[in-house]
Amino acid sequence: MPDRVPSILIVDDELSMRELLDHVFRRAGYRTFVAGNGAQALEALRGTVFDIVLSDVRMPRLSGTELLHECRQISPDTVVILMTAHGTVEQAREAFKLGADDFIQKPFDIDELKLIVKNALEKSLLRREVALLKRELGDRTRLENIIGRSRPMQEVLRLIQTIAGTNSTVLITGESGTGKELVARGIHACSPRSERPFVSINCGAFTETLLESELFGYMKGAFTGATTNKKGLFEAADGGTLFLDEIGEMSLGMQVKLLRALQERSIRRVGGTEEIPVDVRVVAATNRDLSQMVEAGTFRKDLYFRVNVIPINVPPLRERREDIRELALHFLKKYGQNRTPPVTAIAETTLKYLENYSFPGNVRELENIIERAVALEPTHEIQPERLPETVLRYDPARTASVFDLPEQGIHLENFLMEIEKSYILQALQRTRGNQTKAAELLRMSVRSLRHLLDKHKIRHTASMFRESGAFRTGDASDAP
C-alpha cells in the first residue's frame, strides 16, 4: 500500500539555494514548493497544508523564527526545520524552544540534510500515531473480543475474516447495542491496515457543518474559531480504517461531500483549495433501513451503493441466547475485579433470569445490567435481587411476539383469522356493541366491519353486547 507523497515548503531568500534544495528534494520523492521570503511562505501556509517547512533563519520582512511562530499557530502538525549560516548553540536552543523540529547550520552536507528531514518527518508521524493509539487504547479490540459461539455470530466472524483483506467499503447493520463497532474494529484488526490508525466518529452526534470539519479538517480563518489549520479524520486515518457510525443520520448535503471523497479518494479541507489524497478504508454502520430511506428520498441511492459493497448484519441478542451466559461472565470479569472485595461469580439462578430476558437494548443493555449488579452486590456472587425489575418480572409467554414461529410450525391462514376475529370481538366489547365506535378503534369503515362480522359469522354475537344491557344508548345506524 503506497504511502502518500510528503510535501515540503522550501523558504530561502537566495535563489541558488532555493533551486538547489528544490532539485534535491524533488529527486528524493517529495512534492516541493518554494518561497523567496517569510511573507510568501506565510501566505502559502494559509492556503495549503505542508508536511514540512524547511526555512532559512535570516530573511527580509519575516525571519525564519517568526515564520516558525506563525506556522505553529496555523498548522501545529507541520514539521519545521531551520537553517542558518550563523548558527550558534544559543540560536539552536532558541529554535527548539520556539518549537522547531530540528536545526542545521550552513554550509551543510546534502545527505545530512536529507536525513534530518526524513527523521523529523518520521518522528512527527510517530507522534500522531501515538496520539491516535492513546485515543483508542481504552476500547481497542481484536477479533477474539467479539464474543459469541452461536451460529449467527460464528457466521459474522467467518465473514469478517473473509473480507478483512479487501479494501471494499463495508456496511454493518443491526439494532442499537448489538456491537457494530466491535465488528468494524475486528475487520480492521484482521486487515493489512491493522498497524495503521482505526478512527471512528458518530455521524449523528454532529451538525452538518461540524461533521464536515471533523471529517475533512479546516484551514485557519475558514470560520469563526478556526484559529489554526486542523487535519480531519480522513487524514488522521490515512493508511488505516475510518468507521462512520450511524451514517443514516447524515444530512443529504453531507452525503454529497462524503460520496465525492469516496469516489475521488481525496478530500478538501473546509476553507481550503488543495486536493489532499487519502488512502482510507471506510466502514459504515447504521441501525436504520437505508434501502427504505433511499425510497423515501432521505438517503442518496448512489452513496448507498457506494457504502453497501459488503453488507454485514449483526444479529440481536434475543436471536443468540446461547451467547448470554458467556457475555455475562465476560462483563463480570471486566467490572468485578474493580470491586473491593472483588465480585467473581454469578449465581446460576441469576444467569437463568438473564437467559430468559429479551434484551431490547442488546449486548449494551446486558453490559449495563452486569455493571450495575457488580456495584450493588455485597457478596462475591451476583444474586438475582441485584437485577432490574424489568428482568425479574419478564414473562416471555406474555410478551412473546405473534411473529415468533413455533417450533412445530403453524396453520397461518387459520391463525390470522383467529387474530382478526379476536380483535373485532374485543373492540365490540370495549364499545358495548357500538359498531361505529368499534370500527373507529379498528381504523376501518362500518361497512368493512359488518363485512367481517359476516365473514366470521359473529353478527349475532355482536348484537348480544347490546342486548345484554351493557349497551344503553346505541346509535340507530348500528342495528345489524
Side-chain angles (χ1 to χ4, degrees):
M1 179 180 320
D3 291 330
R4 184 172 64 84
V5 176
S7 57
I8 182 168
L9 174 62
I10 297 161
V11 192
D12 201 300
D13 57 336
E14 292 184 21
L15 176 61
S16 59
M17 181 59 70
R18 290 200 306 272
E19 290 178 342
L20 171 64
L21 294 176
D22 181 41
H23 175 73
V24 166
F25 285 102
R26 191 181 296 273
R27 288 196 62 183
Y30 294 80
R31 288 190 300 139
T32 59
F33 302 82
V34 294
N37 54 56
Q40 289 179 7
L42 184 57
E43 185 178 350
L45 279 166
R46 286 172 175 156
T48 307
V49 182
F50 298 102
D51 295 298
I52 310 154
V53 171
L54 179 60
S55 175
D56 192 18
V57 171
R58 290 195 175 184
M59 295 182 296
R61 299 178 61 184
L62 192 73
S63 72
T65 51
E66 290 172 326
L67 177 63
L68 167 63
H69 176 75
E70 292 295 328
C71 183
R72 284 289 167 258
Q73 301 300 313
I74 297 171
S75 186
D77 293 333
T78 296
V79 172
V80 180
I81 299 170
L82 296 180
M83 308 175 290
T84 180
H86 309 279
T88 66
V89 173
E90 284 303 316
Q91 277 188 321
R93 186 180 292 124
E94 183 65 22
F96 286 124
K97 192 183 296 183
L98 289 170
D101 292 273
D102 216 325
F103 182 91
I104 190 168
Q105 184 175 349
K106 296 178 181 178
F108 45 73
D109 180 78
I110 289 295
D111 290 332
E112 181 187 1
L113 177 61
K114 286 164 62 177
L115 184 61
I116 287 173
V117 170
K118 179 175 179 290
N119 289 341
L121 182 59
E122 287 177 352
K123 286 179 184 177
S124 174
L125 291 172
L126 185 60
R127 283 198 302 268
R128 291 179 215 164
E129 288 179 14
V130 168
L132 282 168
L133 286 172
K134 285 182 178 178
R135 174 181 172 181
E136 301 295 334
L137 190 59
D139 56 358
R140 189 172 182 178
T141 186
R142 294 296 182 199
L143 192 58
E144 57 265 23
N145 294 128
I146 302 178
I147 296 170
R149 299 178 183 175
S150 62
R151 182 178 295 178
M153 282 310 296
Q154 287 299 307
E155 178 61 24
V156 170
L157 289 169
R158 186 196 64 77
L159 191 54
I160 289 172
Q161 292 171 320
T162 301
I163 60 96
T166 73
N167 282 321
S168 302
T169 53
V170 180
L171 179 63
I172 305 171
T173 57
E175 297 176 8
S176 292
T178 50
K180 296 186 288 295
E181 183 167 349
L182 280 178
V183 173
R185 290 177 179 274
I187 293 169
H188 175 74
C190 292
S191 74
R193 298 173 177 267
S194 60
E195 299 303 316
R196 302 295 294 167
F198 176 93
V199 180
S200 64
I201 184 171
N202 186 326
C203 300
F206 298 89
T207 63
E208 179 177 336
T209 303
L210 287 176
L211 182 59
E212 182 180 8
S213 39
E214 282 292 313
L215 287 176
F216 304 134
Y218 53 80
M219 302 301 293
K220 181 180 179 181
F223 50 84
T224 303
T227 56
T228 65
N229 292 346
K230 181 186 175 184
K231 289 188 175 183
L233 296 186
F234 264 96
E235 288 179 84
D238 194 43
T241 303
L242 177 61
F243 176 56
L244 302 177
D245 198 10
E246 301 304 342
I247 193 173
E249 305 303 321
M250 191 178 286
S251 68
L252 284 169
M254 192 61 219
Q255 289 175 34
V256 175
K257 295 166 185 174
L258 174 61
L259 177 63
R260 180 186 174 280
L262 294 178
Q263 289 174 334
E264 303 297 328
R265 302 188 68 81
S266 66
I267 58 99
R268 185 185 301 161
R269 290 186 182 180
V270 178
T273 56
E274 181 191 13
E275 289 292 330
I276 303 171
V278 287
D279 173 26
V280 171
R281 182 184 194 172
V282 170
V283 178
T286 183
N287 60 10
R288 303 180 67 178
D289 188 333
L290 293 189
S291 61
Q292 287 188 2
M293 293 181 67
V294 169
E295 292 297 322
T298 55
F299 199 87
R300 291 182 63 93
K301 182 184 289 188
D302 44 9
L303 180 59
Y304 174 65
F305 288 131
R306 175 66 65 173
V307 298
N308 193 34
V309 177
I310 300 176
I312 297 180
N313 181 257
V314 185
L317 191 52
R318 64 181 175 275
E319 292 181 7
R320 51 184 186 107
R321 292 183 180 276
E322 55 267 53
D323 294 335
I324 291 174
R325 181 178 294 250
E326 187 179 2
L327 283 162
L329 293 172
H330 168 77
F331 294 132
L332 173 68
K333 185 177 180 181
K334 178 178 178 180
Y335 296 108
Q337 299 301 319
N338 297 329
R339 275 281 311 277
T340 305
V343 181
T344 58
I346 304 176
E348 186 63 28
T349 308
T350 307
L351 286 169
K352 293 297 183 185
Y353 272 110
L354 292 172
E355 290 173 334
N356 183 61
Y357 184 54
S358 64
F359 288 102
N362 293 294
V363 179
R364 186 182 296 128
E365 183 182 9
L366 174 58
E367 180 175 3
N368 291 341
I369 287 172
I370 297 299
E371 183 180 7
R372 172 184 181 272
V374 165
L376 297 175
E377 183 55 61
T379 72
H380 76 284
E381 184 179 66
I382 296 177
Q383 302 300 318
E385 51 265 36
R386 310 298 168 237
L387 298 177
E389 286 296 311
T390 51
V391 177
L392 295 173
R393 295 183 178 181
Y394 179 73
D395 182 359
R398 185 180 62 197
T399 58
S401 168
V402 296
F403 300 110
D404 292 339
L405 182 66
E407 291 293 327
Q408 69 275 16
I410 195 172
H411 191 297
L412 184 59
E413 188 175 353
N414 289 348
F415 180 67
L416 294 176
M417 288 276 283
E418 285 301 316
I419 291 176
E420 189 174 66
K421 179 179 176 181
S422 173
Y423 276 121
I424 292 170
L425 290 173
Q426 288 181 59
L428 288 167
Q429 185 176 18
R430 189 179 299 179
T431 61
R432 298 179 178 182
N434 186 314
Q435 293 179 20
T436 301
K437 292 182 178 179
E440 289 175 358
L441 281 176
L442 297 170
R443 305 293 193 273
M444 62 173 59
S445 66
V446 176
R447 181 178 178 182
S448 296
L449 176 60
R450 289 173 177 167
H451 169 73
L452 293 177
L453 293 175
D454 291 335
K455 171 184 172 183
H456 293 288
K457 298 181 173 60
I458 55 174
R459 186 180 278 261
H460 174 69
T461 306
S463 65
M464 289 174 61
F465 287 113
R466 294 197 308 276
E467 293 168 1
S468 66
F471 178 75
R472 299 173 185 171
T473 57
D475 190 325
S477 65
D478 284 336

